[in-house]
Amino acid sequence: MTTARRADQPEPTNPEITAAIAEEQAYVDTLFRRLDDEVTRANERLADVMKDVDPNNPDPEALVRRETEYHGLNQKLDRLNLAQLGLVFGRIDVEAAGEEIDQPVPGHPDLDRRYIGRMGLDDRDDNYRTLLLDWRAPMARPFYLATTVQPEGVQVRRHIRTRGRTVTGIDDEVLSGDATATTVQPGVGSESALHQALQAARTGHMTNIVETIQREQDEIIRDTTRGVMVVQGGPGTGKTAVALHRVAYLLYTWREQLAKTGVLIIGPNQTFLEYISRVLPELGETGVVLSTIGGLYPGITPTGTEDLLTREIKGSGEMAGILNEAVKAYQTVPETPVEVTVDGIVITIDAATVAKSRTRARRSRQPHNLARPIFREHLVEQLSHQMAQTIGADPLGGRNLLSAADIDQLHDDLLDHAPLVSKVDGFWPELAPHQVLTDLLTDKARIDDAAAGYDDETRAALLRSPDAPWAPSDAALLDELATLIGLPDPDEARAEAEKKWRQEIEDAQEVLDVLSSSQSSDIDDDAEVDPDAEILSAFDIIDAETLAQRQEVRDTRSTAERAQADHKWAYGHVIVDEAQELSPMEWRMVFRRSPSRWMTLVGDIAQTGSPAGVDDWAESLEPFINNRFRHHELTVNYRTPSEIMVLANRILYEINPEMSPATAIRDSGREVGYVGAGSDVDKLKEAFDDDRLTAVISSRAAHRVGEHHYVVDEIKGLEFDHVIVVDPAGIIGESPQGWQDLYVAVTRATQTLTVVGDLEL
């Protein structure tokens, strides 16, 4: 291995290394010149697009094309600017194996030299010769797969370190070819680039691993499965990083399809979303929807908290049945007959009549709101026949004197009678999910009716005060109710509004044409009028306003923006991180957003903290995909030092003795520290003099507000340099998943762990 120091360290004395850095610097300069050319061209085209508007020719289609190109150019500029952050990070000299060689290795015409980076760049002046391979391109894959045991045709792999546009160092690995020996030790732990990444201080934001993706991670990232894929992995195995890089790979490989449908990433909490928010832009991908499971239903911001029993009940699959009964409770029949007078004739609406119409509507299998017209139509049909019996009855006992056409007219007249229709609609009212859920959870009588088959404790746990804020568990219930009720599709509603708007424009244009043909200034012909005066008529004013409307672009939102506002949006791909936390009701909500069932689920059932979470992947997924899913397991723990994993593995044994821990590949040289309960946590934090990120994770009873003070729910998926776990026994005792919570807490550290309080194992 050949290694160069950073630019801010003393100059290397090895002339071979100095020459290698200079060689790479020259090539990197070429790449940045090419990148700058791309930025210049994009900016010039953007300026042209901004000017390319003819106010005298308001062509709506041209305006839409302009808007589309405008947004596309801005997205391209974003990608180009972000690509400058570590534009190039690797190089391989690889056997061409029959493929066309873009850059022959000097002295080895059968070897192809490929540079790997965050985006692809071609040489426009040299027949579009590849200068830089996007890390997701198939020809870049040997950079990640090659080992001394399986070199994949790679003779030399070079990691290139840069700061800004300056090459600061290189690491070479000789993997095959003429070399008969190598100083590179087998195993990922010896790889210099990976080691540097693992030792780096944490910053509060996740960094991408594009330079250091390992073989088992790469296989998951590039997996071609078009169904559900489950990635199980213990702490520190890189589950989140793999999921995010898989998003970037999928968007690269299936860009045209996913650009239209979008990608959804679901994380466990808002802190986690902020933590990962920079990764995809750094990889050159924007426009992905990031959401917590509680924020997935549009229009609510869940801030409420609930006890474990309430969360467990609201997350259980039985809640779907309770909600269904809650909706049915609005489909009422009158306790006593209701009379309505129409044109002097009394119409009686009794329970039997309404019940028949209710049965007809329910048998349609339509959601509640969509079944309302069926209910109304059937009930009014019955009432029109009742009215016909009164009006057309033959006093001599013969057949009714009204014809079928007469009865149809009565039917139409009744539908136009507002008091009657109001009574009819009252038996099957239009509903909204927010209204139904609030009515249910704040009314003991409604809960008792909807959950009649459940015990008192269950029903009591559902009841909350009317002023309680939305809780994260409510999102899945609102989504279920939206399905049961049948809300209008936002795109269909928008299309209908667009159709109505166009009709109004056409109607207005007809009026304008009449005004134009009969236009008169209403000025007496004998009056003295300046022949050069400009007379502005009503026609001119109205026409100008219409023209302004016609130039309006109807919907310029991005795919991500449209998807976030639409509870029915069908995403092209869905990623769920910490997927073991999802309850059965939340799984129902997630799968509605993925009718294609193309999903990547990453998690660890040993870290399940939710009372209604996943204990077994097959059991949780069976209702949706009949256990047809691809399973991967990550086996290497890159984050957690072996000293900490000694304790973590003892906790894992308490959770499930049959679970195999991931293999920790590095030592920190510092054992886990144990101090007594009541120790000064602030002093413990001050003892770390390396300015690295320190987190205090405690039980809820011991939690105190402060910077970087957390309870376990808040740190799922995060990592810190130093972790202080306070009151471990309290963490265990606060939840049926207490051991899992403690396991999560102790495995957040990348350097040291300190335990405050008693812990018996």
Side-chain angles (χ1 to χ4, degrees):
M1 176 183 290
T2 305
T3 303
R5 295 177 178 273
R6 298 194 313 270
D8 59 351
Q9 292 181 323
E11 269 306 302
T13 57
N14 187 327
E16 181 184 355
I17 296 176
T18 303
I21 290 178
E23 176 189 7
E24 298 302 354
Q25 184 65 63
Y27 196 84
V28 168
D29 290 342
T30 299
L31 294 176
F32 273 104
R33 282 195 297 271
R34 178 72 188 87
L35 183 67
D36 291 341
D37 287 344
E38 287 283 331
V39 172
T40 299
R41 286 192 182 92
N43 276 314
E44 289 173 349
R45 179 56 193 152
L46 184 62
D48 291 340
V49 168
M50 295 292 289
K51 293 184 295 185
D52 190 19
V53 179
D54 183 359
N56 298 316
N57 183 28
D59 179 359
E61 292 186 5
L63 289 170
V64 171
R65 288 196 299 271
R66 170 181 170 271
E67 285 294 321
T68 301
E69 185 174 8
Y70 171 81
H71 290 291
L73 285 166
N74 274 300
Q75 290 175 359
K76 180 177 181 179
L77 283 167
D78 287 342
R79 289 197 300 270
L80 292 172
N81 290 326
L82 286 166
Q84 298 187 49
L85 303 172
L87 175 63
V88 57
F89 53 79
R91 190 194 86 183
I92 51 175
D93 294 345
V94 59
E95 298 168 6
E99 297 175 347
E100 184 177 347
I101 296 177
D102 270 342
Q103 296 191 66
V105 175
H108 299 273
D110 57 333
L111 293 181
D112 190 16
R113 177 159 290 175
R114 303 173 187 171
Y115 282 86
I116 318 296
R118 298 182 187 279
M119 65 174 294
L121 288 173
D122 298 325
D123 188 346
R124 291 175 177 267
D125 299 326
D126 188 5
N127 199 28
Y128 286 87
R129 178 175 62 90
T130 300
L131 298 175
L132 183 66
L133 277 171
D134 190 299
W135 67 274
R136 297 164 290 191
M139 291 181 68
R141 197 175 188 193
F143 179 81
Y144 298 107
L145 296 183
T147 65
T148 51
V149 177
Q150 294 176 281
E152 305 290 337
V154 177
Q155 292 203 358
V156 178
R157 173 170 53 206
R158 171 169 289 180
H159 292 272
I160 301 171
R161 300 193 298 278
T162 59
R163 182 178 298 124
R165 299 189 173 204
T166 303
V167 177
T168 61
I170 58 173
D171 297 306
D172 280 353
E173 296 171 88
V174 179
L175 302 176
S176 65
D178 297 335
T180 57
T182 175
T183 58
V184 180
Q185 300 299 313
V188 294
S190 66
E191 296 180 12
S192 178
L194 177 64
H195 179 75
Q196 290 180 13
L198 297 178
Q199 290 298 112
R202 269 46 189 173
T203 64
H205 282 89
M206 184 178 180
T207 57
N208 69 72
I209 60 167
V210 67
E211 300 96 332
T212 58
I213 294 170
Q214 301 301 301
R215 188 183 187 100
E216 72 172 5
Q217 296 173 328
D218 186 80
E219 290 174 353
I220 296 170
I221 290 169
R222 299 176 194 261
D223 192 309
T224 58
T225 298
R226 292 297 295 267
V228 174
M229 185 170 74
V230 173
V231 181
Q232 163 75 31
T237 54
K239 298 184 296 296
T240 299
V242 166
L244 295 178
H245 287 70
R246 178 162 171 76
V247 171
Y249 171 75
L250 294 177
L251 286 168
Y252 173 85
T253 308
W254 286 281
R255 182 172 302 281
E256 183 175 349
Q257 174 185 344
L258 294 178
K260 298 175 182 176
T261 56
V263 174
L264 170 66
I265 299 178
I266 300 173
N269 52 58
Q270 196 60 43
T271 305
F272 173 85
L273 296 183
E274 293 170 1
Y275 173 64
I276 69 172
S277 61
R278 296 183 184 178
V279 174
L280 285 172
E282 287 179 0
L283 294 174
E285 296 301 340
T286 57
V288 174
V289 175
L290 300 176
S291 178
T292 61
I293 194 71
L296 198 54
Y297 188 82
I300 70 164
T301 302
T303 58
T305 58
E306 298 171 315
D307 60 39
L308 291 173
L309 178 59
T310 301
R311 289 169 56 197
E312 182 176 7
I313 294 168
K314 290 173 69 176
S316 68
E318 287 76 12
M319 197 67 202
I322 293 174
L323 294 175
N324 189 40
E325 291 301 318
V327 171
K328 285 183 176 181
Y330 291 89
Q331 301 163 5
T332 60
V333 296
E335 295 182 0
T336 58
V338 175
E339 294 183 343
V340 181
T341 302
V342 179
D343 296 334
I345 299 172
V346 176
I347 295 178
T348 302
I349 309 175
D350 59 22
T353 303
V354 175
K356 287 180 182 178
S357 297
R358 184 175 67 176
T359 299
R360 173 67 64 86
R362 286 179 175 176
R363 283 178 177 172
S364 72
R365 305 296 184 187
Q366 292 289 327
H368 174 92
N369 283 355
L370 301 185
R372 287 182 76 235
I374 300 172
F375 172 81
R376 180 194 290 174
E377 175 67 23
H378 189 265
L379 183 51
V380 171
E381 178 72 18
Q382 293 187 81
L383 298 178
S384 65
H385 281 277
Q386 181 189 134
M387 192 174 186
Q389 287 297 324
T390 303
I391 296 173
D394 185 346
L396 301 178
R399 60 183 300 177
N400 196 288
L401 300 177
L402 298 184
S403 67
D406 293 330
I407 297 175
D408 288 343
Q409 185 59 53
L410 288 177
H411 172 274
D412 294 343
D413 292 342
L414 290 181
L415 284 176
D416 290 334
H417 193 272
L420 179 87
V421 172
S422 176
K423 291 292 185 183
V424 170
D425 287 347
F427 300 123
W428 195 293
E430 185 173 11
L431 299 178
H434 300 72
Q435 163 207 346
V436 174
L437 190 58
T438 299
D439 288 351
L440 173 66
L441 299 182
T442 59
D443 188 324
K444 183 178 183 301
R446 286 187 180 275
I447 292 174
D448 288 344
D449 287 341
Y454 297 87
D455 58 31
D456 293 342
E457 185 180 20
T458 297
R459 295 197 299 272
L462 289 175
L463 186 64
R464 69 185 184 201
S465 65
D467 58 350
W470 295 114
S473 63
D474 289 326
L477 307 192
L478 289 168
D479 199 70
E480 186 76 21
L481 284 169
T483 301
L484 292 170
I485 290 168
L487 297 187
D489 186 292
D491 281 345
E492 291 178 3
R494 193 175 298 111
E496 185 62 31
E498 175 79 12
K499 181 180 178 181
K500 183 178 179 181
W501 175 78
R502 291 187 180 278
Q503 184 60 51
E504 290 173 352
I505 291 298
E506 291 178 8
D507 294 344
Q509 188 62 53
E510 291 180 7
V511 175
L512 292 175
D513 292 342
V514 173
L515 285 172
S516 177
S517 63
S518 60
Q519 187 175 189
S520 172
S521 64
D522 290 333
I523 298 176
D524 191 289
D525 291 339
D526 296 330
E528 294 184 4
V529 179
D530 182 354
D532 297 325
E534 182 176 340
I535 302 173
L536 186 64
S537 67
F539 168 79
D540 297 315
I541 297 173
I542 297 172
D543 191 57
E545 182 178 355
T546 303
L547 278 177
Q549 284 183 314
R550 286 184 172 182
Q551 291 189 60
E552 181 182 355
V553 177
R554 306 309 297 171
D555 191 350
T556 60
R557 295 176 302 166
S558 67
T559 297
E561 290 169 334
R562 290 168 54 217
Q564 276 185 302
D566 185 352
H567 78 281
K568 289 188 174 182
W569 191 269
Y571 289 91
H573 194 82
V574 175
I575 301 273
V576 185
D577 204 334
E578 302 294 339
Q580 77 278 355
E581 299 302 322
L582 267 60
S583 69
M585 289 300 294
E586 289 166 344
W587 280 119
R588 291 169 69 92
M589 175 168 60
V590 169
F591 272 97
R592 287 190 194 104
R593 281 149 181 78
S594 180
S596 68
R597 301 302 193 252
W598 192 15
M599 306 170 72
T600 301
L601 313 174
V602 299
D604 178 14
I605 55 177
Q607 299 184 60
T608 301
S610 169
V614 176
D615 294 323
D616 179 271
W617 291 115
E619 180 181 338
S620 294
L621 298 177
E622 192 276 335
F624 311 101
I625 54 174
N626 294 320
N627 296 331
R628 292 192 297 270
F629 62 90
R630 179 78 178 272
H631 186 273
H632 286 281
E633 185 151 3
L634 292 167
T635 61
V636 178
N637 184 337
Y638 302 97
R639 177 179 67 217
T640 317
S642 59
E643 295 87 348
I644 296 176
M645 286 309 299
V646 171
L647 171 61
N649 290 340
R650 289 162 62 192
I651 297 172
L652 180 63
Y653 185 84
E654 295 289 336
I655 297 169
N656 186 343
E658 297 181 1
M659 294 194 73
S660 300
T663 303
I665 62 170
R666 66 189 183 92
D667 304 327
S668 68
R670 288 178 281 190
E671 298 295 329
V672 176
Y674 296 90
V675 298
S679 297
D680 191 327
V681 173
D682 289 332
K683 286 187 177 180
L684 291 173
K685 289 175 66 177
E686 292 171 1
F688 300 114
D689 56 1
D690 55 5
D691 294 325
R692 287 177 177 251
L693 202 59
T694 302
V696 178
I697 306 171
S698 65
S699 65
R700 295 188 181 279
H703 178 65
R704 64 184 180 88
V705 178
E707 186 178 12
H708 301 310
H709 283 251
Y710 306 94
V711 294
V712 176
D713 288 349
E714 299 171 330
I715 50 86
K716 287 286 177 78
L718 306 183
E719 58 183 26
F720 308 89
D721 295 290
H722 307 296
V723 169
I724 302 171
V725 175
V726 179
D727 189 21
I731 293 174
I732 295 170
E734 284 178 339
S735 166
Q737 284 74 36
W739 283 107
Q740 286 94 324
D741 288 342
L742 183 60
Y743 184 61
V744 172
V746 303
T747 54
R748 298 306 95 193
T750 66
Q751 301 298 325
T752 69
L753 172 66
T754 304
V755 178
V756 180
D758 296 332
L759 175 59
E760 295 185 7
L761 286 170

Short mmCIF file of all heavy atoms in Angstrom, two decimals, residues 180-218:
data_model
loop_
_atom_site.label_atom_id
_atom_site.label_comp_id
_atom_site.label_asym_id
_atom_site.label_seq_id
_atom_site.Cartn_x
_atom_site.Cartn_y
_atom_site.Cartn_z
N THR A 180 3.50 -10.01 -6.79
CA THR A 180 3.47 -11.34 -6.18
C THR A 180 3.16 -11.25 -4.70
O THR A 180 2.90 -12.26 -4.06
CB THR A 180 4.84 -12.03 -6.36
OG1 THR A 180 5.85 -11.19 -5.80
CG2 THR A 180 5.12 -12.25 -7.83
N ALA A 181 3.19 -10.06 -4.14
CA ALA A 181 2.89 -9.90 -2.72
C ALA A 181 2.28 -8.52 -2.52
O ALA A 181 2.43 -7.64 -3.36
CB ALA A 181 4.15 -10.05 -1.87
N THR A 182 1.62 -8.35 -1.41
CA THR A 182 1.00 -7.06 -1.11
C THR A 182 1.04 -6.82 0.39
O THR A 182 0.98 -7.75 1.18
CB THR A 182 -0.46 -7.01 -1.59
OG1 THR A 182 -1.05 -5.78 -1.16
CG2 THR A 182 -1.28 -8.16 -1.04
N THR A 183 1.14 -5.53 0.75
CA THR A 183 1.16 -5.19 2.17
C THR A 183 -0.25 -5.02 2.72
O THR A 183 -0.43 -4.81 3.90
CB THR A 183 1.92 -3.87 2.38
OG1 THR A 183 1.29 -2.85 1.59
CG2 THR A 183 3.36 -4.01 1.97
N VAL A 184 -1.25 -5.11 1.84
CA VAL A 184 -2.63 -4.94 2.28
C VAL A 184 -3.07 -6.21 2.99
O VAL A 184 -3.01 -7.30 2.44
CB VAL A 184 -3.55 -4.65 1.09
CG1 VAL A 184 -4.99 -4.49 1.57
CG2 VAL A 184 -3.09 -3.43 0.35
N GLN A 185 -3.54 -6.08 4.23
CA GLN A 185 -4.01 -7.22 4.97
C GLN A 185 -5.46 -7.52 4.59
O GLN A 185 -6.24 -6.62 4.31
CB GLN A 185 -3.95 -6.94 6.48
CG GLN A 185 -2.53 -6.64 6.96
CD GLN A 185 -1.61 -7.81 6.71
OE1 GLN A 185 -1.97 -8.95 7.00
NE2 GLN A 185 -0.43 -7.55 6.17
N PRO A 186 -5.87 -8.78 4.55
CA PRO A 186 -7.26 -9.10 4.21
C PRO A 186 -8.21 -8.60 5.29
O PRO A 186 -7.85 -8.51 6.45
CB PRO A 186 -7.26 -10.63 4.14
CG PRO A 186 -6.12 -11.05 4.99
CD PRO A 186 -5.07 -9.98 4.85
N GLY A 187 -9.44 -8.31 4.89
CA GLY A 187 -10.45 -7.85 5.84
C GLY A 187 -10.62 -6.35 5.76
O GLY A 187 -9.66 -5.60 5.59
N VAL A 188 -11.85 -5.91 5.93
CA VAL A 188 -12.14 -4.49 5.74
C VAL A 188 -11.48 -3.62 6.79
O VAL A 188 -11.27 -2.43 6.58
CB VAL A 188 -13.67 -4.25 5.75
CG1 VAL A 188 -14.32 -4.90 4.57
CG2 VAL A 188 -14.29 -4.77 7.04
N GLY A 189 -11.17 -4.17 7.95
CA GLY A 189 -10.61 -3.35 9.00
C GLY A 189 -9.27 -2.75 8.66
O GLY A 189 -8.86 -1.75 9.23
N SER A 190 -8.56 -3.34 7.74
CA SER A 190 -7.23 -2.85 7.39
C SER A 190 -7.26 -1.79 6.31
O SER A 190 -6.22 -1.22 5.97
CB SER A 190 -6.36 -4.02 6.93
OG SER A 190 -6.88 -4.55 5.72
N GLU A 191 -8.42 -1.53 5.71
CA GLU A 191 -8.47 -0.60 4.60
C GLU A 191 -8.39 0.83 5.13
O GLU A 191 -9.21 1.27 5.93
CB GLU A 191 -9.75 -0.81 3.79
CG GLU A 191 -9.78 -2.19 3.14
CD GLU A 191 -11.05 -2.42 2.34
OE1 GLU A 191 -11.79 -1.45 2.10
OE2 GLU A 191 -11.28 -3.57 1.95
N SER A 192 -7.40 1.55 4.65
CA SER A 192 -7.09 2.87 5.19
C SER A 192 -8.24 3.85 5.07
O SER A 192 -8.57 4.55 6.02
CB SER A 192 -5.85 3.43 4.48
OG SER A 192 -5.55 4.72 4.95
N ALA A 193 -8.88 3.93 3.90
CA ALA A 193 -9.97 4.89 3.71
C ALA A 193 -11.11 4.61 4.68
O ALA A 193 -11.68 5.53 5.27
CB ALA A 193 -10.46 4.85 2.27
N LEU A 194 -11.45 3.33 4.84
CA LEU A 194 -12.52 2.96 5.76
C LEU A 194 -12.12 3.29 7.19
O LEU A 194 -12.92 3.84 7.97
CB LEU A 194 -12.83 1.47 5.64
CG LEU A 194 -13.88 0.93 6.60
CD1 LEU A 194 -15.24 1.56 6.32
CD2 LEU A 194 -13.97 -0.59 6.50
N HIS A 195 -10.89 2.99 7.55
CA HIS A 195 -10.42 3.27 8.92
C HIS A 195 -10.51 4.75 9.23
O HIS A 195 -10.96 5.14 10.32
CB HIS A 195 -8.98 2.77 9.08
CG HIS A 195 -8.42 3.03 10.44
ND1 HIS A 195 -8.78 2.30 11.54
CD2 HIS A 195 -7.53 3.97 10.88
CE1 HIS A 195 -8.13 2.75 12.61
NE2 HIS A 195 -7.36 3.76 12.23
N GLN A 196 -10.11 5.59 8.31
CA GLN A 196 -10.18 7.03 8.54
C GLN A 196 -11.62 7.49 8.72
O GLN A 196 -11.92 8.33 9.57
CB GLN A 196 -9.54 7.78 7.38
CG GLN A 196 -8.02 7.63 7.32
CD GLN A 196 -7.43 8.40 6.15
OE1 GLN A 196 -8.10 9.22 5.55
NE2 GLN A 196 -6.17 8.13 5.84
N ALA A 197 -12.54 6.93 7.93
CA ALA A 197 -13.95 7.30 8.05
C ALA A 197 -14.52 6.89 9.40
O ALA A 197 -15.29 7.63 10.02
CB ALA A 197 -14.75 6.66 6.92
N LEU A 198 -14.14 5.70 9.88
CA LEU A 198 -14.66 5.22 11.14
C LEU A 198 -14.12 6.01 12.32
O LEU A 198 -14.80 6.20 13.33
CB LEU A 198 -14.32 3.74 11.32
CG LEU A 198 -14.95 2.78 10.29
CD1 LEU A 198 -14.48 1.35 10.56
CD2 LEU A 198 -16.46 2.86 10.33
N GLN A 199 -12.89 6.49 12.21
CA GLN A 199 -12.27 7.23 13.30
C GLN A 199 -12.65 8.71 13.32
O GLN A 199 -12.43 9.41 14.30
CB GLN A 199 -10.74 7.12 13.20
CG GLN A 199 -10.20 5.73 13.50
CD GLN A 199 -10.50 5.29 14.91
OE1 GLN A 199 -11.27 4.38 15.13
NE2 GLN A 199 -9.92 5.98 15.89
N ALA A 200 -13.26 9.20 12.22
CA ALA A 200 -13.59 10.63 12.14
C ALA A 200 -14.59 11.02 13.20
O ALA A 200 -15.46 10.25 13.59
CB ALA A 200 -14.14 10.94 10.75
N ALA A 201 -14.47 12.27 13.68
CA ALA A 201 -15.41 12.78 14.68
C ALA A 201 -16.80 12.94 14.07
O ALA A 201 -16.95 13.31 12.91
CB ALA A 201 -14.91 14.13 15.21
N ARG A 202 -17.82 12.65 14.88
CA ARG A 202 -19.21 12.82 14.43
C ARG A 202 -19.59 14.29 14.54
O ARG A 202 -19.11 14.99 15.42
CB ARG A 202 -20.16 11.97 15.28
CG ARG A 202 -20.40 10.57 14.70
CD ARG A 202 -19.14 9.88 14.26
NE ARG A 202 -19.41 8.63 13.53
CZ ARG A 202 -18.49 7.92 12.92
NH1 ARG A 202 -17.23 8.32 12.93
NH2 ARG A 202 -18.81 6.82 12.28
N THR A 203 -20.47 14.72 13.64
CA THR A 203 -20.79 16.15 13.54
C THR A 203 -22.25 16.45 13.81
O THR A 203 -22.65 17.61 13.81
CB THR A 203 -20.47 16.67 12.13
OG1 THR A 203 -21.31 16.00 11.17
CG2 THR A 203 -19.01 16.44 11.79
N GLY A 204 -23.08 15.45 14.02
CA GLY A 204 -24.51 15.69 14.16
C GLY A 204 -25.25 15.51 12.86
O GLY A 204 -26.48 15.54 12.81
N HIS A 205 -24.51 15.33 11.76
CA HIS A 205 -25.11 15.02 10.45
C HIS A 205 -24.39 13.79 9.89
O HIS A 205 -23.17 13.67 9.99
CB HIS A 205 -24.98 16.18 9.48
CG HIS A 205 -25.97 17.26 9.71
ND1 HIS A 205 -25.72 18.31 10.57
CD2 HIS A 205 -27.22 17.47 9.22
CE1 HIS A 205 -26.77 19.11 10.59
NE2 HIS A 205 -27.69 18.62 9.78
N MET A 206 -25.17 12.91 9.31
CA MET A 206 -24.60 11.71 8.73
C MET A 206 -23.78 12.07 7.50
O MET A 206 -24.15 12.95 6.73
CB MET A 206 -25.72 10.75 8.35
CG MET A 206 -25.23 9.42 7.82
SD MET A 206 -26.62 8.33 7.44
CE MET A 206 -25.73 6.90 6.85
N THR A 207 -22.67 11.38 7.32
CA THR A 207 -21.86 11.55 6.12
C THR A 207 -22.10 10.37 5.19
O THR A 207 -22.47 9.28 5.63
CB THR A 207 -20.36 11.63 6.46
OG1 THR A 207 -19.98 10.45 7.17
CG2 THR A 207 -20.08 12.85 7.32
N ASN A 208 -21.92 10.61 3.89
CA ASN A 208 -22.10 9.49 2.96
C ASN A 208 -20.89 8.56 3.02
O ASN A 208 -19.82 8.95 3.48
CB ASN A 208 -22.32 10.02 1.53
CG ASN A 208 -21.09 10.65 0.95
OD1 ASN A 208 -20.14 9.97 0.61
ND2 ASN A 208 -21.10 11.98 0.82
N ILE A 209 -21.09 7.33 2.56
CA ILE A 209 -20.02 6.33 2.61
C ILE A 209 -19.61 5.93 1.20
O ILE A 209 -19.09 4.84 0.98
CB ILE A 209 -20.45 5.08 3.39
CG1 ILE A 209 -21.68 4.42 2.73
CG2 ILE A 209 -20.74 5.42 4.84
CD1 ILE A 209 -21.98 3.02 3.24
N VAL A 210 -19.86 6.83 0.25
CA VAL A 210 -19.67 6.47 -1.15
C VAL A 210 -18.23 6.04 -1.44
O VAL A 210 -17.98 5.22 -2.32
CB VAL A 210 -20.11 7.63 -2.07
CG1 VAL A 210 -19.20 8.82 -1.92
CG2 VAL A 210 -20.21 7.19 -3.51
N GLU A 211 -17.27 6.57 -0.68
CA GLU A 211 -15.87 6.19 -0.92
C GLU A 211 -15.52 4.84 -0.31
O GLU A 211 -14.54 4.22 -0.70
CB GLU A 211 -14.92 7.24 -0.32
CG GLU A 211 -15.07 8.64 -0.90
CD GLU A 211 -15.97 9.51 -0.05
OE1 GLU A 211 -16.86 8.93 0.64
OE2 GLU A 211 -15.82 10.74 -0.07
N THR A 212 -16.34 4.39 0.68
CA THR A 212 -15.92 3.24 1.48
C THR A 212 -16.96 2.12 1.52
O THR A 212 -16.93 1.28 2.42
CB THR A 212 -15.63 3.69 2.93
OG1 THR A 212 -16.81 4.30 3.47
CG2 THR A 212 -14.48 4.68 2.96
N ILE A 213 -17.86 2.09 0.56
CA ILE A 213 -18.86 1.02 0.52
C ILE A 213 -18.17 -0.34 0.46
O ILE A 213 -17.26 -0.55 -0.36
CB ILE A 213 -19.78 1.20 -0.71
CG1 ILE A 213 -20.62 2.47 -0.56
CG2 ILE A 213 -20.70 -0.01 -0.89
CD1 ILE A 213 -21.38 2.84 -1.82
N GLN A 214 -18.60 -1.25 1.33
CA GLN A 214 -18.01 -2.58 1.37
C GLN A 214 -18.83 -3.57 0.55
O GLN A 214 -19.96 -3.30 0.16
CB GLN A 214 -17.90 -3.05 2.82
CG GLN A 214 -17.07 -2.12 3.69
CD GLN A 214 -15.65 -1.96 3.16
OE1 GLN A 214 -14.92 -2.94 3.03
NE2 GLN A 214 -15.25 -0.73 2.87
N ARG A 215 -18.23 -4.73 0.31
CA ARG A 215 -18.83 -5.68 -0.63
C ARG A 215 -20.26 -6.08 -0.26
O ARG A 215 -21.17 -6.05 -1.08
CB ARG A 215 -17.94 -6.93 -0.74
CG ARG A 215 -18.39 -7.88 -1.85
CD ARG A 215 -17.56 -9.15 -1.89
NE ARG A 215 -17.92 -9.94 -3.06
CZ ARG A 215 -17.23 -9.96 -4.21
NH1 ARG A 215 -16.14 -9.23 -4.32
NH2 ARG A 215 -17.63 -10.70 -5.22
N GLU A 216 -20.49 -6.45 1.03
CA GLU A 216 -21.83 -6.89 1.40
C GLU A 216 -22.82 -5.73 1.33
O GLU A 216 -24.01 -5.94 1.09
CB GLU A 216 -21.84 -7.54 2.79
CG GLU A 216 -21.65 -6.60 3.96
CD GLU A 216 -21.88 -7.30 5.30
OE1 GLU A 216 -22.08 -8.54 5.30
OE2 GLU A 216 -21.87 -6.62 6.34
N GLN A 217 -22.35 -4.52 1.53
CA GLN A 217 -23.21 -3.35 1.40
C GLN A 217 -23.53 -3.09 -0.07
O GLN A 217 -24.67 -2.78 -0.43
CB GLN A 217 -22.54 -2.13 2.02
CG GLN A 217 -22.32 -2.24 3.52
CD GLN A 217 -21.50 -1.09 4.07
OE1 GLN A 217 -20.62 -0.57 3.38
NE2 GLN A 217 -21.77 -0.71 5.30
N ASP A 218 -22.53 -3.21 -0.92
CA ASP A 218 -22.72 -2.95 -2.35
C ASP A 218 -23.73 -3.92 -2.96
O ASP A 218 -24.53 -3.54 -3.81
CB ASP A 218 -21.38 -3.06 -3.08
CG ASP A 218 -21.47 -2.67 -4.54
OD1 ASP A 218 -21.47 -1.46 -4.83
OD2 ASP A 218 -21.59 -3.57 -5.40
#
